[in-house]
Amino acid sequence: MVKTMHAIEMDFQKAKKQAEELEEIAQSLRVLSENSFQPCLAKIAASWKGEYAAVFCKKGAVVEHNLKQSAAGFRQAAETIRQTAQNTYEAEKRSVELASTRQY
């Protein structure tokens, strides 16, 4: 089945949109971590003293670290989608161009 240039363009735009959505998720996680999670843990550490407070804050720090890693992973996935989409777009576009000039 031969793809039309319209279908190729639509697939390319769709992939770029998905990458953009992943970037937005990554940004939201980063903001959540820095603007909400860190201050919350700081308030807990300032208010709650004792052995269990330290344990809770340690676990909170692990969760915060995991949020940041997830955000970085989403950013990397978005970049991979963009690069793959660009490579596929160029290859499919070239294929259509070659097919249109082919003579039998």
Side-chain angles (χ1 to χ4, degrees), residues 3-13 88-89 92-93 96:
K3 277 182 142 179
T4 65
M5 277 307 295
H6 177 71
I8 292 168
E9 186 67 35
M10 293 300 291
D11 287 346
F12 183 53
Q13 294 304 322
T88 303
Y89 174 76
E92 288 180 335
K93 183 178 169 187
V96 167

Side-chain angles (χ1 to χ4, degrees), residues 11-26 74-90:
D11 287 346
F12 183 53
Q13 294 304 322
K14 188 176 174 183
K16 289 189 334 184
K17 177 72 174 152
Q18 289 171 338
E20 184 180 314
E21 289 172 4
L22 276 178
E23 284 281 351
E24 290 171 5
I25 291 169
F74 285 137
R75 279 191 300 277
Q76 181 62 42
E79 184 54 38
T80 300
I81 288 171
R82 280 190 193 95
Q83 189 60 52
T84 302
Q86 185 67 43
N87 292 344
T88 303
Y89 174 76
E90 290 170 6

Side-chain angles (χ1 to χ4, degrees), residues 10 21 27 35 39-40 54 62-64 72-73 84-85 89 93 100:
M10 293 300 291
E21 289 172 4
Q27 178 67 11
N35 297 342
C40 180
V62 169
V63 170
E64 178 186 359
T84 302
Y89 174 76
K93 183 178 169 187
S100 70

Side-chain angles (χ1 to χ4, degrees), residues 22-34 67 71:
L22 276 178
E23 284 281 351
E24 290 171 5
I25 291 169
Q27 178 67 11
S28 294
L29 284 176
R30 188 187 64 74
V31 167
L32 176 67
S33 171
E34 292 176 0
L67 280 174

Side-chain angles (χ1 to χ4, degrees), residues 40-51:
C40 180
L41 284 178
K43 286 178 185 176
I44 289 170
S47 312
W48 186 16
K49 302 297 178 196
E51 178 183 345

